[in-house]
Amino acid sequence: MGLLEGKKLLVTGVLMDTSIAFHAARVAQEEGAEVVLSSFGRQMKLTQAIARRLPKTPPVIQLDVTSTEDLAALPERVKEHVDGLDGVLHSIGFAPQSAMGGNFLSTPWEDVATALQISAYSYTSLAVAALPLMKEGGSVVGLTLDARIAWPAYDWMGVAKAALESTSRYLARDLGPKGIRSNIVAAGPLRTTAAKAIPTFEAFDELFQTRAPLGWDVRNPEPTAKACVALLSDWFPATTGTIVYVDGGFQAVAGKV
Ligand code: NAD
């Protein structure tokens, strides 16, 4: 029996077949889950095409996390496909160009606000929108790049990730009494569309090659996808408000001899 047999999941953030969410949806289906995807605007057609590469083509609902209309309509749209949800994967991040790439001292507030809204605040918006459908024992999972340290070029996206990590802890506090968990997977750098927005991605790759004791492959989203699936399963029943590092051990070790 698969890890997610009988589970119904909403997976956001499938854009390309490189997307972390694509691989999380694939592993979730392989483990027995019924998956509904979300996408928005001009990306919708792309997501629908990519969805056909999954083991079973899932439905794709419209959800822009900055749209109050989309958030309000979420339960209704999900219910067209499944009768409830056991888990939600938030695999969403965005920052305007001025907020990354070395402009930390001069980024205007409007651009910082956009990064914070889409990359951190939306974690709560999404969980609250999905709450009427969520069952006891349910799980919400998000994705970060370890926000305890300052990275090259990551700038206000790093600040937004710190906010996301904190948001997850507050969500864990408020959803715990309903039997719902909230956890974050801190992935190492992966070559996705979002990563293309980081101008010095090569520097991340080099850092991980020199430090991660298990090594790290920027082209392999599978370990990150598996961690998301594990946290969405029943196998972490007493774990909430925490961060699971999927980074080849990078965060624990200062260097290799
Ligand atoms: P990706 O570009 O494939 O996915 C990002 C997704 O965010 C896209 O599907 C996009 O449609 C969605 N999105 C952006 N604005 C949105 C909005 N307003 N409403 C709804 N969706 C919106 O890239 P990815 O690397 O798979 O990113 C997924 C998550 O993983 C992000 O939170 C990212 O920050 C995080 N992460 C990525 C890396 C990496 O190196 N790629 C490392 C650690 C964490």
Side-chain angles (χ1 to χ4, degrees):
M1 194 169 111
L3 210 58
L4 293 178
E5 212 61 56
K7 300 279 189 209
K8 289 155 190 169
L9 305 179
L10 173 63
V11 175
T12 67
V14 173
L15 177 61
M16 305 291 286
D17 58 6
T18 51
S19 294
I20 295 168
F22 175 85
H23 294 275
R26 175 178 58 75
V27 177
Q29 285 187 340
E30 287 165 2
E31 291 298 324
E34 198 173 340
V35 171
V36 175
L37 301 183
S38 72
S39 185
F40 73 109
R42 282 185 301 168
Q43 303 185 356
M44 178 59 95
K45 281 210 156 66
L46 208 50
T47 305
Q48 283 166 337
I50 296 295
R52 288 196 278 275
R53 296 188 196 167
L54 287 167
K56 187 175 170 238
T57 306
V60 187
I61 63 161
Q62 158 74 28
L63 175 66
D64 175 344
V65 285
T66 64
S67 158
T68 43
E69 290 81 21
D70 280 358
L71 288 163
L74 182 114
E76 201 182 301
R77 287 175 184 162
V78 170
K79 266 202 214 149
E80 283 172 23
H81 307 287
V82 288
D83 56 6
L85 287 174
D86 301 283
V88 176
L89 180 67
H90 178 284
S91 190
I92 293 170
F94 176 78
Q97 258 189 344
S98 80
M100 286 199 277
N103 305 308
F104 186 74
L105 300 181
S106 57
T107 310
W109 163 243
E110 293 69 33
D111 290 349
V112 172
T114 301
L116 285 170
Q117 183 187 9
I118 299 180
S119 310
Y121 178 74
S122 74
Y123 188 69
T124 300
S125 316
L126 176 64
V128 170
L131 201 55
L133 302 172
M134 289 285 280
K135 299 175 189 155
E136 202 177 331
S139 169
V140 185
V141 175
L143 286 141
T144 192
L145 184 80
D146 187 358
R148 295 169 303 175
I149 49 175
W151 297 97
Y154 208 47
D155 297 356
W156 289 100
M157 192 62 177
V159 177
K161 288 301 189 192
L164 173 72
E165 292 175 10
S166 178
T167 301
S168 170
R169 290 187 282 270
Y170 280 95
L171 206 63
R173 182 197 66 183
D174 287 359
L175 299 190
K178 298 182 194 305
I180 296 168
R181 296 164 286 136
S182 166
N183 292 290
I184 298 286
V185 172
L190 291 164
R191 277 199 190 282
T192 64
T193 307
K196 281 187 194 144
I198 308 170
T200 56
F201 187 81
E202 298 305 326
F204 280 74
D205 191 2
E206 275 166 36
L207 268 175
F208 273 69
Q209 295 321 319
T210 52
R211 250 177 72 174
L214 289 175
W216 182 254
D217 181 356
V218 294
R219 288 188 174 76
N220 183 11
E222 178 104 359
T224 304
K226 281 183 168 168
C228 293
V229 164
L231 286 168
L232 288 165
S233 80
D234 291 335
W235 284 83
F236 281 96
T239 300
T240 195
T242 194
I243 298 175
V244 174
Y245 294 89
V246 181
D247 62 353
F250 177 90
Q251 60 92 28
V253 174
K256 293 194 266 189
V257 259

